[in-house]
Amino acid sequence: AQSVTQPDIHITVSEGASLELRCNYSYGATPYLFWYVQSPGQGLQLLLKYFSGDTLVQGIKGFEAEFKRSQSSFNLRKPSVHWSDAAEYFCAVGRFTGGGNKLTFGTGTQLKVEL
Amino acid sequence: DTAVSQTPKYLVTQMGNDKSIKCEQNLGHDTMYWYKQDSKKFLKIMFSYNNKELIINETVPNRFSPKSPDKAHLNLHINSLELGDSAVYFCASSQDRQYNEQFFGPGTRLTVL
């Protein structure tokens, strides 16, 4: 079965600093990978996705992620964090099973931004 | 224009009651989902429907019964509510059952007292 690990439960960065959120996955086939963001009291918004092709993918709000098959990782990065980026970030892997597409999520990383 | 909407946003009820959560998407998608997010923010899929047909049914107590009257709507009915059902329930939709991004609703926070 597939699984997703986000090793950092909480991360605190200063506004303007760079950010990297880690995500490792376990999946036997070619993974379909996603990063979602959840602001307090809100639903999940897709930041970016990787299906195939270029391993560096660009997303919304200045985020990017790099797929590294050899490391089974899909880390999320942003060169300069804004206070509005404070939120919960979820990495997910998609698997086609039983006729449907099932997303398996990591446990999330809570990002705090210090002004 | 709300793409995926859920009602109600908050639901507080007593143990043993029956309640429903409604979900609607105006994206023209074929596939809809229900996820449960527990108190530790862990998200887990419960059900998925494609064009009103149930295609994913995780290990969920049969007190939970999804219903899809048409492909734009997916409702979740919960019988005999228990304390452990307290969670945030998210509805989502995707273009079809293949590898497409899922669009999430704002969530329904269910509190069982």
Side-chain angles (χ1 to χ4, degrees), chain B residues 7-14 18-22 76 78 81 86-87 89 108-113:
Chain B
T7 54
K9 189 169 176 62
Y10 300 96
L11 189 51
V12 181
T13 188
Q14 300 286 331
D18 303 338
K19 289 294 178 186
S20 292
I21 306 172
K22 295 187 176 183
L76 183 65
I78 316 170
L81 278 155
S86 295
Y89 292 85
T108 295
R109 181 174 293 278
L110 171 65
T111 303
V112 182
L113 304 175

Side-chain angles (χ1 to χ4, degrees), chain A residues 27 30 32 34 36 38 41-46 49 51 88 90 94-107 110, chain B residues 9-10 33 35 37 40-45 48 55-56 58 88 90 94 96-107 109:
Chain A
Y27 186 55
T30 302
Y32 295 79
F34 305 83
Y36 282 87
Q38 184 180 23
Q42 303 296 314
L44 284 81
Q45 181 183 23
L46 180 71
K49 62 190 177 192
F51 283 2
E88 188 93 23
F90 292 94
R95 181 169 73 103
F96 191 76
T97 177
N101 176 16
K102 185 190 300 186
L103 284 183
T104 297
F105 285 86
T107 49
Q110 178 87 44
Chain B
K9 189 169 176 62
Y10 300 96
Y33 310 81
Y35 286 84
Q37 186 176 46
K40 295 183 178 171
K41 302 250 176 121
F42 183 63
L43 272 154
K44 188 167 168 38
I45 190 168
S48 177
I55 56 172
I56 294 176
E58 290 294 278
V88 181
F90 287 100
S94 65
D96 55 40
R97 61 167 69 186
Q98 300 296 328
Y99 288 109
N100 288 301
E101 62 188 88
Q102 295 181 18
F103 293 80
F104 283 78
R109 181 174 293 278

Side-chain angles (χ1 to χ4, degrees), chain A residues 41-115:
Chain A
Q42 303 296 314
L44 284 81
Q45 181 183 23
L46 180 71
L47 286 175
L48 46 76
K49 62 190 177 192
Y50 172 77
F51 283 2
S52 64
D54 193 347
T55 56
L56 184 63
V57 293
Q58 302 297 321
I60 62 170
K61 305 185 181 187
F63 285 92
E64 66 177 26
E66 186 170 13
F67 169 60
K68 292 185 177 179
R69 184 185 298 275
S70 61
Q71 298 177 18
S72 297
S73 69
F74 189 56
N75 294 349
L76 182 70
R77 300 194 293 249
K78 187 169 185 178
S80 177
V81 170
H82 188 262
W83 64 266
S84 60
D85 292 326
E88 188 93 23
Y89 291 80
F90 292 94
C91 181
V93 61
R95 181 169 73 103
F96 191 76
T97 177
N101 176 16
K102 185 190 300 186
L103 284 183
T104 297
F105 285 86
T107 49
T109 297
Q110 178 87 44
L111 173 65
K112 183 179 176 183
V113 180
E114 290 181 334
L115 300 175

